[in-house]
Amino acid sequence: MTLALFHGKSALRPLWLATASLCALLASPALAQEPSESSPPAAPGTPDLQTPDVAPVVTDAPDSAAEDQIGFAADNLNYDSDTDVVVAEGNVAMNRDTISMRADKVTWNRKTGQVFAEGNVAIKNPEGDTAYGDKIELTDSLRDGVVENMLVVLDNGSRLAAVRGTRFDNGNIELENAAYTPCPVEDNEGCPKNPSWQVRAVKVLYDKAKNKVRYKGARIEIFGLPLIPLPGLSHPLNNEPSSGILVPEIRLDRSNGFEIAVPYYLRIAPDRDLTITPHIYTGAAPMIEGEARALTDIGSFRINGYATYGSLVPLTGEDPNRRKRFRGYLESAGKFQFDPRWSLTYSGRIATDRTFMRRYDISRDDRLRSTFEVERIGNQSYLSIAGWATQTLRRNDVQGQQPIALPVIDYRQRFDDPLFGGQFELQLNTLAIARTAGQDTQRAFAGARWDLRRLTGMGQEVTLTALVRGDVYHSDENLLTGIPGYRGKSGWQARGIAAVAADMRWPFVGEFLGGTQTLTPRIQFVATPPIENIDIPNEDSRAFDLEDSNLFAINRFNGYDRFEDGARVTYGLEWNFSRPGFNINSIVGQSYRLSNKPTLFPDGTGLTDRTSDIVGRTTVAYKDFLRFTHRYRLDKDSLAIRRNELDATIGSQSTYAVLGYSRLNRDILLLGEDLQDREEARVGGRVAVARNWSIFGSAIVDLTDQKDDPLSVADGFDPIRHRLGIAYDDECLSIALTWRRDYIDTGDARRGNSFSFRIAFRNLGF
């Protein structure tokens, strides 16, 4: 049996000393049963923590297995045959099985099997974990032993440090007066730094089989300050979730008083989990929250719910009884893919009353919509079977007037035109809408559309479109619809729709200011015979406003129940300029109706007269620093601004501002749903004040006054809500303290101040 020696950058003298020690080892019958030729020395180099390329030293038994072999390498090696002790010094590398050790000096008692290493000791296991220490006493299996001033660096970068550590043969580790942190201890320049947070404990137990750490007498130190005691803390050392208590959330508001929420995460299976969160308040009854998630072979779903038993303040006035009742909210969503073509998607939301979600700051939505949809997507076909229902949370809306659509069926089939080279699309659609205290409507139609796109020799892009459709409607209880223009005639009604359209775009491309500009005039002609729109109920084409997105649409209504008839020509101009990192895109257009037939569009929507208002949009983008969008509509006669929307994002990821302004000055006399005038300003942003600290805030202000909306009682400057906070974020810790003020009372969701504190310890297993 041979023993190869590694020598580092030492001179020739240490190599001869090591060779002499090797001769002493080979002369001992306790180290070899039969002679063999010596292996040549390895190439010069300092051994690292990888398994050293050394020759093995076997135990006394001639039939020892390969895993009993111990590899040894050092600058100097001495063997005392009387005591059977091997002493290696200088760049010592020792390995057994797949475990390797490095040290300045190693003393190995072959009789007792004890190995004593000192000086820059490091032991690495096959999983990539490395243990460091000043002195280590272990067995010759290199698996178990005692370490003084121990530091364990796990393969994911986490660190365990202790005054004293014991490593057992099964890979478990027990640390005394220990600390754990997954945070970096060096900055980007490689200089030492204190971790953002660490867990200190009287004792730390690492279970290798479960890859989990358990603590006794633990507390979390943030920036070196012992702040949070954590009795019974445990967590995994990988990215897999583990059952346990999550980080609490603390809030203070006027409606509920002081709140503390302590989530408990339960991992039921690798593909299923449950989170239960009790919410304790000083000014309200306790509330329980639960969320269940599951991943199946064909999809996933989630269920989330809140429940409490407390008093309810009505939307208006005070409840003289103030009796307690069950209050809650339930939502669920999921998607299942049965095969490459068939899928099911659903989403359900329901609340016990109109103010529950605002009272407990769950959501500020004023409508809760529940939907389901079964889809089949083929190469040239599409089928959708869907349904939806809406729960209103608005103050003055009647729930019985909210529609329930079941079913909504839409089928489409495309195929190529063998004659002209265009494309046909056939469509079948049916809809049934029911209301518990309102109008019921059923609709079915069949339609066909043909499109042909061609490029001329001069570069124009020409698109020809023709469509036909036949509709059948049935409705009853029509008088329960408040707006006469939406009712239609009760009973059975039918209509036919036909339209032809020609659309031409002619792009001109050239150089401009070191970049490329494209100027594209566009003109569209659409002709449709007269349509009996008023006799048909209007369920899905109510809210309308002329804008750049629907200016060139064949039907500028956003649904099927209304279709714009007559003949019209639409013209516009699009300009695009781009250079590296910078882009401007702008479009402006207008339409002219060739007939003077009274229109379907209410006054103020921009399409009342033969000549429409002027609409446009401009978008400016500069790298990732600036994005600005302006949408507008100008009165065709006075050029007064009827719609004015500005949205801008300026800054970097750490410091930025988000600005928004919208004004609808449409002067609509007959107010319909969502057609009232509004004016609003929005601002938000974040400012980095240090490397990891930032200040953030946002505000929404209602600028509407009675001149804009006669039904409004606003004075032209009414704050809706704003917030201000400070946050700390790094790769290991996230802290945020937020103050928010609401200015609107809605039932028992009171106006006033609220404070919230959130802290998240990243890389702690949740």
Side-chain angles (χ1 to χ4, degrees), residues 23 129 257 294 446 486 567 700 734 756 763:
C23 296
D129 304 336
Y486 296 161
I700 302 176
S734 179
S756 65
N763 307 318

Side-chain angles (χ1 to χ4, degrees), residues 146-161:
V146 178
V147 185
E148 301 291 338
N149 295 326
M150 183 179 187
L151 171 65
V152 179
V153 180
L154 304 172
D155 61 344
N156 62 359
S158 302
R159 287 168 167 79
L160 283 165

Side-chain angles (χ1 to χ4, degrees), residues 27 33 119 281 294 327 393 590 651 667 706:
Q33 296 298 321
Y281 307 94
R327 305 183 68 189
L393 304 181
Q590 189 180 35
D667 291 337
Q706 293 185 350

Side-chain angles (χ1 to χ4, degrees), residues 184-203:
V185 295
E186 293 181 349
D187 58 20
N188 296 331
E189 287 75 29
C191 300
K193 72 169 187 176
N194 293 324
S196 303
W197 65 268
Q198 62 181 339
V199 179
R200 286 194 173 272
V202 176
K203 184 173 291 187

Side-chain angles (χ1 to χ4, degrees), residues 358-372:
R358 291 197 177 192
R359 162 82 182 262
Y360 294 98
D361 201 26
I362 299 171
S363 170
R364 303 229 159 230
D365 295 340
D366 57 5
R367 286 176 177 153
L368 303 181
R369 193 174 187 184
S370 300
T371 67
F372 82 90

Side-chain angles (χ1 to χ4, degrees), residues 31-45:
L31 291 177
Q33 296 298 321
E34 56 184 5
S36 61
E37 296 181 1
S38 299
S39 300

Side-chain angles (χ1 to χ4, degrees), residues 628-643:
F628 171 82
T629 301
H630 178 214
R631 289 183 174 89
Y632 57 90
R633 178 162 65 87
L634 305 179
D635 188 278
K636 62 181 179 58
D637 298 320
S638 64
L639 296 182
I641 300 177
R642 298 302 180 190
R643 176 176 181 174

Side-chain angles (χ1 to χ4, degrees), residues 101-104 117-123 131-136:
M101 182 180 69
R102 183 190 67 194
D104 292 339
E118 55 186 324
N120 299 315
V121 184
I123 299 178
Y132 300 90
D134 295 337
K135 298 179 181 179
I136 297 181

